[in-house]
Coordinates of all heavy atoms in Angstrom, one line a residue:
M216 N -2.7 -20.0 15.5 CA -4.0 -19.4 16.0 C -3.8 -19.0 17.4 O -3.8 -19.9 18.3 CB -5.1 -20.3 15.8 CG -6.4 -19.8 16.3 SD -7.7 -21.1 16.2 CE -8.5 -20.7 14.7
A217 N -3.7 -17.7 17.7 CA -3.5 -17.3 19.1 C -4.0 -15.9 19.3 O -4.1 -15.1 18.4 CB -2.0 -17.4 19.4
K218 N -4.3 -15.7 20.6 CA -4.7 -14.3 21.0 C -3.5 -13.5 21.2 O -2.5 -14.1 21.8 CB -5.6 -14.4 22.2 CG -6.6 -13.3 22.3 CD -7.8 -13.6 23.2 CE -8.7 -12.4 23.1 NZ -9.8 -12.6 24.1
V219 N -3.5 -12.3 20.8 CA -2.3 -11.5 21.0 C -2.7 -10.2 21.7 O -3.9 -9.9 21.8 CB -1.6 -11.2 19.7 CG1 -1.0 -12.5 19.0 CG2 -2.5 -10.5 18.7
S220 N -1.7 -9.4 22.1 CA -2.0 -8.1 22.7 C -2.8 -7.3 21.6 O -2.4 -7.4 20.4 CB -0.8 -7.4 23.1 OG -0.1 -8.2 24.1
P221 N -3.7 -6.5 22.0 CA -4.5 -5.7 21.0 C -3.5 -4.8 20.2 O -2.5 -4.3 20.7 CB -5.3 -4.8 21.9 CG -5.5 -5.5 23.2 CD -4.2 -6.2 23.4
Y222 N -3.8 -4.7 18.9 CA -3.1 -3.9 18.0 C -4.0 -3.2 17.0 O -5.1 -3.7 16.8 CB -2.0 -4.7 17.3 CG -2.5 -5.8 16.3 CD1 -2.7 -5.5 15.0 CD2 -2.8 -7.1 16.8 CE1 -3.2 -6.5 14.1 CE2 -3.3 -8.0 16.0 CZ -3.5 -7.8 14.6 OH -4.0 -8.7 13.8
H223 N -3.5 -2.1 16.5 CA -4.3 -1.3 15.6 C -3.4 -0.5 14.7 O -2.2 -0.7 14.9 CB -5.3 -0.4 16.3 CG -4.6 0.6 17.1 ND1 -3.9 0.4 18.3 CD2 -4.3 2.0 16.8 CE1 -3.3 1.5 18.7 NE2 -3.6 2.5 17.8
T224 N -3.9 0.2 13.8 CA -3.0 1.1 13.0 C -3.7 2.5 12.9 O -4.9 2.6 12.8 CB -2.7 0.5 11.6 OG1 -1.7 1.4 11.0 CG2 -3.9 0.4 10.7
N225 N -2.9 3.5 12.9 CA -3.3 4.8 12.5 C -2.6 5.3 11.3 O -2.7 6.5 11.0 CB -3.1 5.8 13.7 CG -4.1 5.6 14.9 OD1 -5.3 5.5 14.6 ND2 -3.6 5.5 16.1
S226 N -1.9 4.4 10.6 CA -1.1 4.9 9.5 C -2.0 5.3 8.4 O -2.9 4.7 8.0 CB -0.2 3.7 9.0 OG 0.4 4.1 7.8
L227 N -1.6 6.5 7.8 CA -2.4 7.0 6.7 C -2.1 6.3 5.4 O -2.7 6.5 4.4 CB -2.1 8.5 6.6 CG -2.5 9.4 7.8 CD1 -2.2 10.9 7.5 CD2 -4.1 9.3 7.9
E228 N -1.1 5.4 5.5 CA -0.7 4.6 4.3 C -1.7 3.4 4.2 O -1.7 2.7 3.2 CB 0.7 4.0 4.4 CG 1.7 5.1 4.3 CD 3.2 4.6 4.5 OE1 3.4 3.5 4.0 OE2 3.9 5.3 5.1
E229 N -2.5 3.2 5.3 CA -3.4 2.1 5.3 C -4.8 2.7 4.9 O -5.1 3.8 5.2 CB -3.6 1.5 6.7 CG -2.3 0.8 7.2 CD -2.0 -0.5 6.5 OE1 -2.9 -1.1 5.9 OE2 -0.9 -1.0 6.6
P230 N -5.7 1.8 4.2 CA -7.0 2.3 3.9 C -7.8 2.6 5.1 O -7.6 2.1 6.2 CB -7.6 1.2 3.1 CG -6.6 0.1 3.1 CD -5.4 0.5 3.8
P231 N -8.8 3.5 5.0 CA -9.6 4.0 6.2 C -10.2 2.8 7.0 O -10.2 2.8 8.2 CB -10.6 4.9 5.6 CG -10.1 5.4 4.3 CD -9.2 4.3 3.8
E232 N -10.6 1.8 6.3 CA -11.3 0.7 7.0 C -10.3 -0.1 7.9 O -10.7 -0.7 8.9 CB -12.0 -0.3 6.0 CG -11.1 -1.0 5.1 CD -11.1 -0.2 3.7 OE1 -11.2 1.0 3.7 OE2 -10.8 -0.9 2.7
H233 N -9.0 0.0 7.6 CA -8.0 -0.6 8.5 C -7.8 0.2 9.7 O -7.3 -0.4 10.7 CB -6.7 -0.8 7.7 CG -6.7 -1.8 6.6 ND1 -5.6 -2.1 5.9 CD2 -7.7 -2.5 6.1 CE1 -5.9 -3.1 5.0 NE2 -7.2 -3.3 5.1
R234 N -8.2 1.4 9.7 CA -7.9 2.3 10.9 C -9.1 2.4 11.8 O -9.0 3.0 12.8 CB -7.6 3.7 10.4 CG -6.3 3.7 9.5 CD -5.7 5.1 9.3 NE -6.7 6.1 8.7 CZ -6.7 6.4 7.4 NH1 -5.8 5.9 6.6 NH2 -7.5 7.3 7.0
E235 N -10.2 1.7 11.4 CA -11.4 1.9 12.2 C -11.5 0.9 13.4 O -12.4 1.1 14.3 CB -12.7 1.6 11.3 CG -12.9 2.7 10.4 CD -14.0 2.5 9.4 OE1 -14.5 1.3 9.4 OE2 -14.3 3.4 8.6
V236 N -10.8 -0.2 13.4 CA -10.9 -1.2 14.5 C -9.6 -1.6 15.0 O -8.6 -1.3 14.4 CB -11.7 -2.4 14.0 CG1 -13.1 -2.1 13.5 CG2 -11.0 -3.1 12.8
Y237 N -9.6 -2.3 16.2 CA -8.4 -3.0 16.6 C -8.6 -4.5 16.6 O -9.7 -5.0 16.5 CB -8.1 -2.5 18.1 CG -8.9 -3.2 19.2 CD1 -8.4 -4.3 19.8 CD2 -10.0 -2.6 19.6 CE1 -9.2 -4.9 20.8 CE2 -10.8 -3.2 20.7 CZ -10.3 -4.3 21.2 OH -11.0 -4.9 22.3
H238 N -7.5 -5.2 16.6 CA -7.5 -6.6 16.5 C -6.8 -7.2 17.7 O -5.9 -6.6 18.3 CB -6.8 -7.1 15.2 CG -7.3 -6.4 14.0 ND1 -8.3 -7.0 13.3 CD2 -6.9 -5.3 13.4 CE1 -8.6 -6.2 12.3 NE2 -7.7 -5.1 12.3
D239 N -7.2 -8.5 18.0 CA -6.4 -9.2 19.1 C -6.2 -10.7 18.8 O -6.1 -11.5 19.7 CB -7.1 -9.0 20.5 CG -8.5 -9.5 20.5 OD1 -9.0 -10.1 19.6 OD2 -9.2 -9.2 21.6
H240 N -6.2 -11.0 17.5 CA -5.9 -12.4 17.1 C -4.8 -12.3 16.0 O -5.0 -11.5 15.1 CB -7.1 -13.1 16.5 CG -7.9 -13.8 17.6 ND1 -7.7 -15.0 18.0 CD2 -9.0 -13.3 18.3 CE1 -8.5 -15.4 18.9 NE2 -9.3 -14.4 19.2
D241 N -3.8 -13.1 16.1 CA -2.7 -13.0 15.1 C -3.2 -13.7 13.8 O -2.5 -13.6 12.8 CB -1.4 -13.6 15.6 CG -1.5 -15.1 15.9 OD1 -2.5 -15.7 15.8 OD2 -0.4 -15.6 16.3
D242 N -4.3 -14.5 13.8 CA -4.7 -15.1 12.5 C -5.9 -14.4 11.9 O -6.6 -14.9 11.0 CB -5.0 -16.6 12.8 CG -6.0 -16.8 13.8 OD1 -6.3 -15.9 14.6 OD2 -6.7 -17.9 13.8
C243 N -6.3 -13.2 12.4 CA -7.4 -12.4 11.8 C -7.0 -12.0 10.4 O -6.0 -11.3 10.3 CB -7.7 -11.3 12.7 SG -8.9 -10.2 12.0
F244 N -7.8 -12.4 9.4 CA -7.4 -12.0 8.1 C -7.5 -10.5 7.8 O -6.9 -10.0 7.0 CB -8.2 -12.8 7.0 CG -9.6 -12.5 6.9 CD1 -10.1 -11.5 6.0 CD2 -10.6 -13.3 7.5 CE1 -11.4 -11.2 5.9 CE2 -12.0 -13.0 7.4 CZ -12.3 -11.9 6.6
E245 N -8.4 -9.9 8.6 CA -8.5 -8.4 8.5 C -7.2 -7.8 9.0 O -6.7 -6.8 8.5 CB -9.7 -7.9 9.2 CG -11.1 -8.3 8.5 CD -11.3 -7.6 7.2 OE1 -10.6 -6.6 6.8 OE2 -12.2 -8.0 6.4
G246 N -6.8 -8.3 10.2 CA -5.6 -7.8 10.8 C -4.4 -8.0 10.0 O -3.5 -7.2 10.0
K247 N -4.4 -9.1 9.3 CA -3.2 -9.5 8.5 C -3.0 -8.5 7.3 O -2.0 -8.5 6.7 CB -3.4 -10.9 8.0 CG -3.0 -12.0 9.0 CD -3.1 -13.4 8.4 CE -2.6 -14.4 9.4 NZ -2.9 -15.7 9.0
K248 N -4.1 -7.8 6.9 CA -4.0 -6.9 5.8 C -3.2 -5.6 6.2 O -2.7 -4.9 5.4 CB -5.4 -6.4 5.4 CG -6.2 -7.5 4.8 CD -7.6 -6.9 4.4 CE -8.6 -8.0 3.9 NZ -9.9 -7.5 3.8
I249 N -3.1 -5.4 7.5 CA -2.3 -4.3 8.0 C -0.8 -4.7 8.0 O -0.4 -5.7 8.5 CB -2.7 -3.9 9.5 CG1 -4.1 -3.6 9.6 CG2 -1.8 -2.8 10.0 CD1 -4.6 -3.4 11.0
Q250 N 0.0 -3.9 7.3 CA 1.4 -4.2 7.3 C 2.0 -4.1 8.7 O 1.6 -3.2 9.5 CB 2.2 -3.1 6.5 CG 1.8 -3.2 5.0 CD 2.6 -2.2 4.2 OE1 3.8 -2.3 4.2 NE2 1.9 -1.2 3.6
K251 N 2.8 -5.1 9.1 CA 3.4 -5.2 10.5 C 4.1 -3.9 10.9 O 4.0 -3.5 12.1 CB 4.3 -6.4 10.5 CG 3.7 -7.7 10.8 CD 3.9 -8.2 12.2 CE 2.9 -9.3 12.6 NZ 3.4 -10.6 12.8
K252 N 4.7 -3.2 10.0 CA 5.4 -2.0 10.3 C 4.4 -0.9 10.7 O 4.9 0.1 11.3 CB 6.3 -1.6 9.2 CG 5.6 -1.1 7.9 CD 6.6 -0.6 6.8 CE 5.8 -0.1 5.6 NZ 6.7 0.4 4.6
H253 N 3.2 -1.1 10.4 CA 2.2 -0.1 10.8 C 1.4 -0.4 12.1 O 0.6 0.3 12.5 CB 1.2 0.1 9.6 CG 1.8 0.7 8.4 ND1 1.2 0.5 7.2 CD2 2.8 1.5 8.3 CE1 2.0 1.2 6.3 NE2 2.9 1.8 6.9
W254 N 1.8 -1.6 12.7 CA 1.1 -2.0 13.9 C 1.4 -1.0 15.0 O 2.6 -0.7 15.2 CB 1.5 -3.4 14.3 CG 0.9 -4.5 13.5 CD1 0.4 -4.4 12.2 CD2 0.7 -5.9 13.9 NE1 -0.1 -5.7 11.9 CE2 0.1 -6.6 12.9 CE3 1.0 -6.5 15.1 CZ2 -0.3 -7.9 13.0 CZ3 0.6 -7.9 15.3 CH2 0.0 -8.6 14.2
E255 N 0.4 -0.7 15.8 CA 0.6 0.0 17.0 C 0.0 -0.8 18.1 O -1.1 -1.3 17.9 CB 0.0 1.4 17.0 CG 0.7 2.3 15.9 CD 0.0 3.7 15.8 OE1 -0.3 4.3 16.8 OE2 -0.2 4.1 14.6
S256 N 0.6 -0.8 19.3 CA 0.0 -1.6 20.4 C -1.2 -0.9 21.1 O -1.3 0.3 21.0 CB 1.0 -2.0 21.4 OG 1.6 -0.9 22.0
G257 N -2.1 -1.7 21.6 CA -3.2 -1.1 22.3 C -4.4 -1.1 21.4 O -4.4 -1.4 20.2
N258 N -5.6 -0.7 22.0 CA -6.8 -0.7 21.1 C -7.1 0.6 20.5 O -8.0 0.7 19.6 CB -8.0 -1.2 22.0 CG -8.4 -0.2 23.1 OD1 -8.0 1.0 23.0 ND2 -9.0 -0.7 24.1
G259 N -6.3 1.6 20.8 CA -6.4 2.9 20.1 C -7.7 3.5 20.3 O -8.1 4.4 19.5
G260 N -8.5 3.1 21.3 CA -9.8 3.6 21.5 C -10.8 3.2 20.4 O -11.9 3.9 20.3
K261 N -10.5 2.2 19.6 CA -11.3 1.8 18.5 C -12.2 0.6 18.9 O -11.8 -0.1 19.9 CB -10.5 1.4 17.3 CG -9.5 2.5 16.9 CD -8.5 2.0 15.9 CE -7.4 3.0 15.7 NZ -7.8 4.2 14.9
P262 N -13.3 0.3 18.2 CA -14.1 -0.9 18.5 C -13.3 -2.1 18.0 O -12.4 -2.0 17.2 CB -15.3 -0.7 17.7 CG -15.0 0.3 16.6 CD -13.9 1.2 17.1
R263 N -13.7 -3.3 18.6 CA -13.0 -4.5 18.3 C -13.5 -5.0 16.9 O -14.7 -4.9 16.6 CB -13.3 -5.6 19.4 CG -12.5 -6.8 19.3 CD -12.8 -7.6 20.6 NE -12.0 -8.9 20.5 CZ -12.5 -10.0 21.0 NH1 -13.7 -10.1 21.6 NH2 -11.8 -11.2 20.8
C264 N -12.5 -5.6 16.2 CA -12.8 -6.1 14.9 C -13.8 -7.2 14.9 O -13.7 -8.1 15.8 CB -11.4 -6.6 14.3 SG -11.6 -7.8 13.1
K265 N -14.7 -7.2 13.9 CA -15.8 -8.3 14.0 C -15.2 -9.7 13.8 O -15.7 -10.6 14.3 CB -16.8 -7.9 12.8 CG -17.7 -6.8 13.1 CD -18.9 -6.7 12.1 CE -19.9 -5.7 12.5 NZ -19.3 -4.3 12.4
Q266 N -14.2 -9.8 13.0 CA -13.5 -11.1 12.8 C -12.9 -11.6 14.1 O -13.0 -12.8 14.4 CB -12.5 -11.0 11.7 CG -13.0 -10.8 10.3 CD -14.0 -11.9 9.9 OE1 -13.8 -13.1 10.2 NE2 -15.1 -11.6 9.2
C267 N -12.3 -10.7 14.8 CA -11.7 -11.1 16.1 C -12.7 -11.5 17.0 O -12.5 -12.4 17.8 CB -10.8 -9.9 16.6 SG -9.3 -9.7 15.7
I268 N -13.9 -10.8 17.0 CA -15.0 -11.2 17.9 C -15.4 -12.7 17.6 O -15.6 -13.5 18.5 CB -16.2 -10.2 17.8 CG1 -15.8 -8.9 18.4 CG2 -17.4 -10.8 18.5 CD1 -16.8 -7.8 18.1
K269 N -15.5 -13.0 16.3 CA -15.9 -14.3 15.9 C -14.9 -15.4 16.3 O -15.3 -16.5 16.6 CB -16.0 -14.4 14.3 CG -17.4 -13.9 13.8 CD -17.4 -14.3 12.3 CE -18.4 -13.4 11.6 NZ -18.3 -13.5 10.1
L270 N -13.6 -15.0 16.2 CA -12.6 -15.9 16.6 C -12.6 -16.2 18.1 O -12.0 -17.2 18.6 CB -11.2 -15.4 16.1 CG -11.0 -15.4 14.6 CD1 -9.8 -14.5 14.3 CD2 -10.8 -16.8 14.1
G271 N -13.2 -15.3 18.9 CA -13.3 -15.5 20.3 C -12.3 -14.8 21.2 O -11.3 -14.5 20.9
Ligands
ZN574 ZN1 -9.4 -8.7 13.6

């Protein structure tokens, strides 16, 4: 359980809901649904994931 640099995806191979937010926790179950090969660094100008906000 750790905070990581913000990551997001813009991959069209991911479902739209995966492209709507960015994550900054490596144990976020929403973030884990994104395939690692589709990770892009930064927040991508997207809002923060609700699960990541809960994780703190
Ligand atoms: Zn998240």
Side-chain angles (χ1 to χ4, degrees):
M216 176 188 266
K218 206 156 185 187
V219 296
S220 298
Y222 64 93
H223 66 283
T224 186
N225 283 316
S226 173
L227 296 177
E228 291 175 40
E229 297 288 344
E232 61 266 30
H233 289 185
R234 301 197 298 265
E235 286 174 355
V236 296
Y237 77 90
H238 307 272
D239 58 7
H240 272 273
D241 65 357
D242 59 338
C243 173
F244 71 85
E245 291 290 346
K247 280 181 177 171
K248 293 178 186 170
I249 302 173
Q250 293 183 61
K251 276 252 163 112
K252 65 177 182 182
H253 292 155
W254 282 27
E255 295 177 45
S256 61
N258 64 24
K261 302 169 194 289
R263 194 172 172 212
C264 158
K265 288 192 172 68
Q266 288 304 321
C267 287
I268 291 171
K269 274 191 204 168
L270 290 166

